[in-house]
Amino acid sequence: GFLIQGNVESKDFDIGSLISNKLLGKVGMNASLSALMSRRDGMEISIDSVRVNKLEFNGYPYSNIFALGKYNNKIFDGKIICHDPNLDFIFQGLFSFDPKATSKYNYYADIPYANLSALNIDKRDSISILRSRMIADFTSYAGKNIVGNVNILNTSYANSKGDFNIGTIKLS
């Protein structure tokens, strides 16, 4: 195999046009990573650091996104942090990218603040604020059966009609 190490920088790179995805737009980022490629194990990417200054998604320019971790055999294991003015969250754990195979998910996510209206996710109301935490440990078998647990904790939602404490939802 062989090893590639380096830095990647982009400013207003239109990733949506490149991959023909209308939800994605321009991205501005700095990344330091290494990739090890071998015939036996495929490609393993170590993400030392990624700082996304701007990522347009669904018409909203997300900012202040940081990530680190490893990507190997369609599995990401790492941490993603976002401190955007309309989205504050942290994700730590692993998840798979292959819907046709057995996929493992084991992660913690904390969303202290998400303005769903500003993010163009919920346009039914000018106020749409979500707060929640999630602990997940489950396996998806070729996208058909899911076995495991998902705990959605301390969830609350607010809109122009008021604040709603949803509490805890446990799925097994």
Side-chain angles (χ1 to χ4, degrees):
F2 62 94
L3 176 67
I4 300 171
Q5 293 179 310
N7 298 315
V8 177
E9 182 178 344
S10 73
K11 293 180 181 169
D12 288 330
F13 176 67
D14 193 348
I15 187 120
S17 293
L18 178 69
I19 63 172
S20 299
N21 185 322
K22 293 181 181 181
L23 287 175
L24 285 171
K26 295 179 181 177
V27 63
M29 62 173 257
N30 294 308
S32 174
L33 52 92
S34 59
L36 178 62
M37 297 185 192
S38 68
R39 288 184 184 176
R40 187 186 66 181
D41 297 326
M43 182 169 54
E44 178 179 313
I45 300 173
S46 292
I47 304 165
D48 299 322
S49 68
V50 173
R51 179 188 170 105
V52 179
N53 301 313
K54 178 175 83 173
L55 172 62
E56 295 175 349
F57 180 76
N58 197 28
Y60 179 81
Y62 291 82
S63 62
N64 298 318
I65 302 169
F66 306 91
L68 59 95
K70 291 186 184 266
Y71 177 77
N72 189 15
N73 293 324
K74 298 183 182 178
I75 297 172
F76 173 78
D77 186 1
K79 182 185 287 189
I80 303 169
I81 299 168
C82 180
H83 291 303
D84 182 270
N86 291 300
L87 177 63
D88 193 16
F89 86 87
I90 183 170
F91 168 94
Q92 184 163 351
L94 69 88
F95 59 92
S96 302
F97 285 101
D98 193 348
K100 296 179 182 176
T102 299
S103 299
K104 179 74 176 153
Y105 301 83
N106 185 342
Y107 62 85
Y108 168 81
D110 186 10
I111 307 170
Y113 179 79
N115 183 335
L116 303 179
S117 178
L119 298 172
N120 297 324
I121 295 171
D122 181 7
K123 296 306 263 180
R124 297 174 295 169
D125 196 329
S126 62
I127 300 170
S128 183
I129 308 296
L130 176 71
R131 291 175 169 80
S132 190
R133 285 187 305 153
M134 180 184 299
I135 300 170
D137 185 8
F138 64 93
T139 303
S140 172
Y141 296 94
K144 295 180 182 176
N145 296 319
I146 297 173
V147 176
N149 299 300
V150 177
N151 295 312
I152 305 168
L153 311 164
N154 302 329
T155 302
S156 65
Y157 176 76
N159 62 18
S160 62
K161 296 178 183 175
D163 295 337
F164 305 94
N165 183 8
I166 298 166
T168 297
I169 300 169
K170 294 186 179 190
L171 305 171
S172 295

